[in-house]
Each structure stands twice: as structure tokens, then as C-alpha cells.
Amino acid sequence: VSNLVSIALRPGPRRCHLPSPPRQRPGSAPGLVFPLSPRVEESLLRCEEPLVCPPLRWGCVFSLGSCQGNSVERKIYIPLNKTAPCVRLLNATHQIGCQSSISGDTGVIHVVEKEEDLNWVLVDGPHPPYMILLDGNLFNRRVMLQLKGTSRVSGLAVAVSKPSPPQGFSPGLKCPNDGFGVYSKDYGPQFAHCNKTVWNPVGSGLSYEDFDFPIFLLEDANETQVIKQCYQDHNVPRDGSGPEYPLCAMQLFSHMHAVTSTVTCMRRSSLQSTFSINPEVVCDPLLDYNVWSTLQPINSSGKVDPKKEVIIVATRIDSHSFFWNIAPGAESAVSSFVTHLAAAEALHKASDVHLLQRNIMFTFFQGETFDYIGSSRMVYDMEKDKFPLRLDNIHSFVELNQVALRNDSILWMHTDPVSRMNESVEVQVRNLLDILSNSSMGANVTLQEAGYSQPLPPSSFQRFLRARHIPGVVLTDHKTAFQNRYYQSMYDTPENIRMQYPEGLSPEETLEYVTDTAKSLAEVATVVARALYRLAGGANNTSAIQADPKTVSRMLYGFLIKMNNSWFQSIIKPDIKAILGDVPQHYVAVSSPVNTTYLVQYVLANLTGTVVNLTKEECLNPEKTPSSEKELYEYAWVQGSLEPNSTSRVPYCVRSTVHLSKALSPAFELRQWGSTEYSTWTESRWKEIHARIFLVASKELEIITLVVGIAILIFSLIATYFINAKADVLFSIPRDPGAVAY
């Protein structure tokens, strides 16, 4: 009651609220808790107009629901809305990631900004278990394994390090996708398991550890400061002794339903689906869609002539980090697929592409981070005649990998030394390398061969080589180890690829500003487009084939800084405009298609398609229009740009050769959940994920409160019993004095 009175008597009451949690998907509450200090509360709460109820009206005190926001819960807890959890992923043999107990995990907050601070948590602190607020620079394998091995830690909140750790940070593996590429004991054993080259030397493998406590990323610096202030006010030791109650505590909820491995969770889900009316699925396969398009239209529902040769240009469009849906992937994914898109646009502008001897297929694979989900599925479909192309149609393969961090403008050409031992493959590979090298003449990009004895880096091309010897090359900015020091991490951001903008630009000006990074990637796209033209049999001068740096700038801004921009708004369908969130992320996930897939699809259609004069009805139902050639083209009715000085748009119809194909591992198609041939990654399901802070009382006070509460309950029961027993005396109706009986 005293707490409620203090709320009512607080001077100048105002209605305060927090934004709702950003994402939740389809639990022990603390004992005795106190409202947070006004200093901490006001640093987070955003207050608006005065309360509806007068501040001293007792009806408002005991009827808090009518006071529009001054609930008891809101005065006790501060929710942390800008967080990202570590979740559980599973494969055929392991589970990785994090989870909380079923009712959430609670602990006293301790801020760790240097390694010496860990002693309080691990040894000296008198109030375990602790919730650690960890400085981003200390989020490394050595520290995490110390915390993993103790019962004195109940959870972890990681603050983003700004600037990014100068020594680099990669929670991925030193040998990405090991065991699922082409090299094995049967094929190039000297190159298997990265024996020849360790591609990601800074990789700690932290993302592939299993933690039995929750770990959250704090994305908002303001919320991080709120936690630190609460810690300073309540938890800092005074005069050499431990802090006194009440203490600032944190509670993290991230209980995962799946356990052990994909084999276990998929079997349980399958049994539930078979025998239960309301099945509870505990995990889902990682899946999405590949995006592909051809320079010359083909029948997407038929089969390409076996004699027709096709050049495949490929790249990946997904990334990953330690935390769920935090995958900026600037260097690991975006730099390559943006370059790929720019090259596709440049090629489509050539006047004689319809006369080229060979067709070109632009392919964007999803799920490659998780053991080549997208590429392995496309190879599987080609082998099973479930795709318009067969493996025999492939003339050659060109893959764009990480290309933004070039030293001295050098782009390295990687080939497979094992397949080149075949004489015919060697001739074709040499021709491919010569064409690429010649196409760079006069450009600010120099192409060099990495070396005949150098194996392929982790790449989608390896999955095609597992099925057939195909001449191919992988283009990267590194000869041996990655230049990218933040591979598969939350720090693989625009700053990592040196994207810089002048201060004071509006969002629209930033969208149109051509950065040095955009110019550099446009040069790479120009070289690739010219080489593909020559490889496809083009004989004309290639000087007119030129990638547009302005288009590259727009794509970099949209895929790395802000998806919800005017250009992306104009090129998508009206019914999917909700996909345009503010901060782009490129995690493959389990719901499909994800934002990145949709946007790559519509950007590719915009850059390579044609605006056709069809009405909305004709565009949405092209089969009703005789000249539409529906079997060759896809049609999309897009929003269009805003009219000048208006809020209405000018929609139009786009015809393109852009298609989607399933990117679900064949292991799930075949129900081989323990497969070592195909990816078996799944993601656990959960009910709720959230974090909050509050003040917690001492155990003694909790016990006293419990005892007093029980005593009051017993007294109330006894009082009720006696009142009920004497009810006829206490509540009898007095006789009417005028009614006298004689």
C-alpha cells in the first residue's frame, strides 16, 4: 500500500509508457520486488500528457487500471525492448545456442567492463546467481567458457562494442561449412578440413557452443545505460562491504522447446503431428527460397534443351551471427549479391544479349551459411529433374564471394585443383581465367589467380562439384585467409566495408549519395558483366557494358542501412510493403520468404525486367492475356513512385524472368534427419522471449512478508468463520417496535 500511496502522491503525475516489445514468437517470477528509483525509471520512460485521474483521488490508487498506465507492474518492472536473444539451433548430432529455464532466469546484476570484474561474479560476490552486463570487448571464447563452467551465473546481457573490436570478432568456425563442401577423404583429402588453408583464423566457434543460460544482446545504448545506472544506484559495494538490499536484478525469458539434435526434435514433432489433434511442433527446418533469373527467357515449368549451354553466376544472400536475426552480413553476403545484381543489370542493357550463343543464369542462394542449404537443394532438384536445368546444361560456373575489402584493387580467382587434373576441365578453366583477366584491362580492378595448388574457399560452387566436374571460378578479395575480421558476426556492418556518408544528409540524400564503396563494387560488377558477355559468346565491343554506381549505392543503403526507403517502396508489391523494416538483417530463419529474399527478387526484377502496358487485372492474371507468354515470364504489379506533391503512387506492371525455387535441405525432403550428405539445421520453437529489470528484496524480508501474509490469511479465515457462525446475531433484522404481540 505504501508503494501505491507513493505513486499517487508523486508530484506532477504524468502518463508514461514504453514501446511494445519488437518481436515475440509462437517463466519463476521474482518474490518481493520494489519500484525502481525515479532516477532510473525516468531515464527510460517516455512521458506524455497528464494522467486522467486526479493525483490524490484514492479511487485511482486502488483502481490503477483506470489511470491509463500507472499499473503496479509498470512501477516494478522496466522491460528491455531492444534486445536480441541467442536461441537454440540443432543439427544431426548437436544442439547449439542458449536457453533459459521454463520460467525464466533471474539474477542480481553485475557490470563487467574488464576481466578483473569477473572475480566478484565467480568468487567474491555474496549474492549469486548473477546476471552479467558484459562489455562487448570481453565477449569472447575465453571469457564465455569461464562463465559456462559455473553455477554462479544465471544469464548474460552483452553490450555492443563501439567501435567494433579492433582485434576482430568472429563467432563462426575457423573452417566454415566443414564436411559439407567438396573436399573429403575421397576427394582432395589434402584439402579437407582446411588442412591447406584456414579460411577464418579469427573464428572462435562461439556460435557453435551450447550454453544452459540465456544470453541477450542489448541493441539500444540507452537501455544499456539504464541498467548501468540501476547497478550504480543499488549494487555497487560500499566501503569495502557487499551492497545492501534492495538490489537491482534482471530476468531473461528464452526457454527453448527442442533438445538434443535435429533427429530427436523432428521425430517428436512427427509423432505429435501423426497422433495429436493439436500437435506441438518443437523445431522447424531452416528454409527459404533461392532467387534465380536468366538472361534469355526459358520455360520455368519445362526442361531446357540438353544441347543448350548455360553459364551460372552465383552468390549467397544470407548471413548469421551469435544472436537471433542479427545478421548484417555487409562483407560476407551483401557486398557480393549487390555486385551480382549490378552485373545482371549491366548485362541486360547490352543490345545483343538475345543473340548470345549461351544463356546466363543469375542465381542467389539462401541458407548457405548453414552447410549450403540453397545450393545443395538446387543440385538435388537438377539431379531429380525437378528444375528446368540439368547439370549437363551447365557450361561453367562463376561465383562472387566476399569482394568489398580488396587490397590494391586485386580480386583473386580461385579454382579447384582436383577437377583441373582432368585435361578437358583444365582447358575450359584456363579459358575462363583468361576471359576474366582480359575483361579487367582498363578497369581499376586487377584479377589474379590464387594458385593452382590452392583449394576453393567455402563456396556454393563446391556443392556443384560434388555432383559433377564443372569448370568454375570463385572471385574473392582474399588469396588465403578472409580479409573480413568480423565474419558471421554482429560487427559485419557498413563500417566494415568502409561505407561513409557526409554528415547532415537527409534519408533521401543518403539513398542517392554515391560512396567510394559503391564505386568500387560497381567496377567489380563491370568486369564480371563484361567477362560473362564474352563467355556467353558475345563478339561486340564491351566498353558499353557498364555497371551503375548510383544503383549500387541505392542497394547498399537499402540492404545495409534502411530497408524502408523510397526506392524499395516503389519496386515491391503493395501487399508485401510490411516487409520493409528499418534495420536490414539477412538471417535465413524458418518463415519464408524472408525480407531479403523478397527484396532481392524485386530488385532483380526491377533491374532486369521490362515495364509492360497491362492493367492491374491483366498483370495479376497474365494467363488471361494471349500474348503474355506466362510460361516464360513472371509478372508483378508494383507500387511505383509517389506522384509529385502527393501521397498517391503510380503503380505499373513489371515483366521479368525472375523466379523462386525452394531452399529446403533435401535431408527433410527425404526424412533423413541424421544425414551427413545434406544440411540438417533446425531452429527450436519458443513461446516468449523478453527481458526486464527490477529491484529485489533480501531473502529475510521475503520470508517475513510470506509469514505475515500467511498469518493475515489465517486470521482472516478464523474471523470469517466466527462472523459466519454468529451471522444470525450480528446481521439479524431488528423487530419493528410498533408491532406488539398480545
Side-chain angles (χ1 to χ4, degrees):
V1 173
S2 63
N3 288 335
L4 301 183
V5 172
S6 68
I7 293 171
L9 296 179
R10 182 174 295 174
R14 295 184 293 172
R15 177 164 64 88
C16 306
H17 72 274
L18 289 164
S20 59
R23 49 175 173 253
Q24 290 186 357
R25 177 183 162 188
S28 107
L32 186 62
V33 292
F34 296 101
L36 288 161
S37 64
R39 183 178 180 184
V40 173
E41 183 181 12
E42 292 301 321
S43 65
L44 183 64
L45 291 177
R46 176 162 50 87
C47 299
E48 295 178 349
E49 64 272 16
L51 274 167
V52 174
C53 299
L56 296 180
R57 185 171 295 170
W58 287 102
C60 281
V61 174
F62 293 103
S63 206
L64 294 174
S66 64
C67 290
Q68 300 184 24
N70 260 334
S71 68
V72 175
E73 182 179 3
R74 185 159 294 172
K75 291 302 172 184
I76 292 174
Y77 301 107
I78 287 184
L80 304 174
N81 294 324
K82 293 287 290 181
T83 62
C86 161
V87 303
R88 174 167 290 165
L89 299 174
L90 309 98
N91 66 9
T93 56
H94 292 80
Q95 64 180 30
I96 63 172
C98 324
Q99 77 155 356
S100 73
S101 63
I102 194 168
S103 56
D105 289 324
T106 303
V108 174
I109 295 172
H110 190 74
V111 176
V112 175
E113 296 180 327
K114 53 186 183 298
E115 286 204 45
E116 292 75 19
D117 296 336
L118 288 172
N119 290 332
W120 183 267
V121 173
L122 300 176
V123 180
D124 301 332
H127 305 115
Y130 285 96
M131 278 282 177
I132 298 176
L133 174 56
L134 188 68
D135 184 87
N137 287 302
L138 295 177
F139 185 54
N140 56 55
R141 185 178 182 85
R142 185 181 68 259
V143 170
M144 292 303 296
L145 291 185
Q146 288 185 63
L147 302 179
K148 184 179 179 180
T150 177
S151 60
R152 291 175 59 89
V153 174
S154 59
L156 202 66
V158 180
V160 177
S161 176
K162 291 186 178 180
S164 301
Q167 71 276 15
F169 174 74
S170 173
L173 298 171
K174 293 183 183 295
C175 189
N177 291 357
D178 186 24
F180 290 86
V182 68
Y183 302 115
S184 65
K185 61 182 177 61
D186 301 319
Y187 187 100
Q190 67 274 30
F191 305 124
H193 312 300
C194 296
N195 287 334
K196 181 77 172 180
T197 305
V198 177
W199 297 106
N200 186 29
V202 298
S204 65
L206 197 59
S207 289
Y208 296 85
E209 291 288 334
D210 182 38
F211 295 92
D212 59 359
F213 53 78
I215 304 176
F216 278 55
L217 177 68
L218 300 174
E219 300 181 71
D220 188 352
N222 291 330
E223 290 189 345
T224 303
Q225 189 55 43
V226 167
I227 298 172
K228 288 184 177 180
Q229 188 61 58
C230 186
Y231 167 79
Q232 291 289 337
D233 290 346
H234 300 280
N235 294 12
V236 174
R238 311 292 180 187
D239 302 324
S241 61
E244 297 181 357
Y245 285 98
L247 298 175
C248 190
M250 182 185 297
Q251 193 171 32
L252 301 178
F253 294 83
S254 63
H255 181 67
M256 301 288 127
H257 293 175
V259 295
T260 309
S261 68
T262 290
V263 176
T264 301
C265 80
M266 289 299 293
R267 184 178 67 245
R268 290 176 178 175
S269 297
S270 179
L271 289 172
Q272 283 273 343
S273 301
T274 304
F275 298 107
S276 177
I277 298 176
N278 298 307
E280 284 196 20
V281 176
V282 295
C283 68
D284 300 285
L286 295 182
L287 65 98
D288 203 79
Y289 287 89
N290 298 322
V291 182
W292 63 277
S293 171
T294 53
L295 191 63
Q296 300 164 357
I298 63 173
N299 188 343
S300 60
S301 59
K303 292 288 179 286
V304 173
D305 188 328
K307 297 180 181 179
K308 182 67 175 178
E309 293 182 321
V310 178
I311 301 161
I312 292 185
V313 194
T315 191
R316 68 176 60 191
I317 58 176
D318 69 298
S319 187
H320 179 45
S321 81
F322 186 86
F323 299 99
W324 183 73
N325 206 32
I326 300 295
E331 162 72 340
S332 61
V334 177
S335 68
S336 57
F337 74 69
V338 162
T339 304
H340 189 170
L341 288 164
E345 180 192 31
L347 259 178
H348 271 268
K349 289 180 178 178
S351 58
D352 60 338
V353 291
H354 61 288
L355 302 175
L356 293 178
Q357 177 185 349
R358 301 181 183 95
N359 203 350
I360 299 174
M361 186 170 91
F362 306 99
T363 313
F364 301 81
F365 292 121
Q366 261 287 15
E368 295 300 273
T369 302
F370 296 95
D371 299 336
Y372 306 118
I373 293 174
S375 55
S376 62
R377 180 53 187 259
M378 183 170 284
V379 171
Y380 174 83
D381 287 344
M382 287 180 176
E383 291 176 325
K384 302 298 181 182
D385 282 340
K386 297 180 179 180
F387 195 79
L389 268 67
R390 300 175 180 86
L391 290 170
D392 291 340
N393 290 116
I394 301 176
H395 169 268
S396 52
F397 198 104
V398 178
E399 180 170 353
L400 286 162
N401 213 308
Q402 304 178 77
V403 295
L405 299 176
R406 304 192 307 281
N407 282 334
D408 301 323
S409 297
I410 296 176
L411 203 62
W412 295 97
M413 301 181 290
H414 299 263
T415 57
D416 172 41
V418 180
S419 62
R420 289 181 69 177
M421 293 178 184
N422 180 297
E423 187 175 344
S424 63
V425 173
E426 167 63 18
V427 170
Q428 291 174 287
V429 170
R430 178 49 56 191
N431 178 57
L432 176 57
L433 294 174
D434 290 342
I435 289 175
L436 281 164
S437 297
N438 294 335
S439 298
S440 67
M441 292 181 179
N444 292 326
V445 180
T446 303
L447 274 78
Q448 293 186 13
E449 187 177 354
Y452 186 86
S453 61
Q454 178 81 13
L456 287 169
S459 53
S460 306
F461 180 39
Q462 292 200 31
R463 291 301 303 193
F464 284 80
L465 279 176
R466 284 178 71 131
R468 183 175 178 269
H469 281 179
I470 298 171
V473 62
V474 178
L475 303 177
T476 72
D477 56 20
H478 55 87
K479 182 179 181 181
T480 53
F482 294 162
Q483 296 275 47
N484 185 6
R485 295 174 300 146
Y486 305 108
Y487 183 74
Q488 290 185 8
S489 89
M490 56 191 170
Y491 299 115
D492 192 6
T493 58
E495 292 76 19
N496 186 34
I497 59 172
R498 307 176 188 129
M499 281 179 62
Q500 296 179 336
Y501 295 93
E503 294 184 1
L505 295 182
S506 67
E508 201 63 29
E509 291 170 336
T510 308
L511 172 67
E512 301 294 338
Y513 182 81
V514 179
T515 62
D516 290 339
T517 302
K519 294 175 184 176
S520 174
L521 294 180
E523 290 169 352
V524 176
T526 298
V527 170
V528 171
R530 290 174 179 177
L532 291 172
Y533 176 81
R534 289 290 185 213
L535 200 58
N540 292 340
N541 191 303
T542 59
S543 59
I545 300 176
Q546 188 79 35
D548 185 3
K550 188 173 182 179
T551 301
V552 175
S553 279
R554 286 179 167 186
M555 289 191 286
L556 288 174
Y557 179 81
F559 285 113
L560 287 175
I561 297 176
K562 188 176 182 181
M563 279 188 170
N564 194 12
N565 61 72
S566 59
W567 186 48
F568 278 5
Q569 290 169 7
S570 68
I571 64 175
I572 64 171
K573 291 181 177 180
D575 56 339
I576 62 168
K577 60 184 178 182
I579 69 169
L580 296 177
D582 279 337
V583 182
Q585 303 296 346
H586 307 294
Y587 173 61
V588 59
V590 296
S591 57
S592 58
V594 295
N595 299 10
T596 304
T597 303
Y598 270 130
L599 288 171
V600 168
Q601 177 189 6
Y602 286 102
V603 168
L604 184 59
N606 177 268
L607 298 180
T608 63
T610 306
V611 177
V612 291
N613 187 23
L614 295 178
T615 65
K616 181 178 180 180
E617 179 66 24
E618 292 171 336
C619 191
L620 296 177
N621 302 282
E623 65 278 358
K624 297 180 180 179
T625 305
S627 60
S628 67
E629 298 180 292
K630 180 68 173 69
E631 66 280 359
L632 299 179
Y633 297 101
E634 294 288 331
Y635 291 81
W637 184 258
V638 299
Q639 291 193 120
S641 302
L642 289 170
E643 293 181 328
N645 303 317
S646 173
T647 57
S648 60
R649 296 183 176 273
V650 184
Y652 56 91
C653 185
V654 174
R655 185 186 71 184
S656 70
T657 60
V658 180
H659 307 277
L660 298 180
S661 65
K662 190 177 291 186
L664 170 66
S665 172
F668 299 100
E669 189 100 344
L670 301 169
R671 296 176 68 86
Q672 296 176 358
W673 304 320
S675 173
T676 56
E677 170 73 13
Y678 299 112
S679 170
T680 56
W681 285 105
T682 54
E683 182 185 273
S684 174
R685 287 197 177 187
W686 60 82
K687 283 190 177 178
E688 61 175 337
I689 286 180
H690 67 268
R692 59 189 183 182
I693 63 174
F694 54 92
L695 297 184
V696 64
S698 66
K699 294 294 182 184
E700 291 79 6
L701 184 55
E702 288 183 354
I703 292 172
I704 292 172
T705 305
L706 177 63
V707 170
V708 171
I710 293 173
I712 292 174
L713 174 63
I714 294 172
F715 174 79
S716 300
L717 292 174
I718 294 172
T720 302
Y721 172 78
F722 281 106
I723 290 172
N724 186 60
K726 302 294 182 179
D728 54 335
V729 176
L730 295 174
F731 305 110
S732 60
I733 300 174
R735 294 182 178 182
D736 186 354
V740 181
Y742 293 95

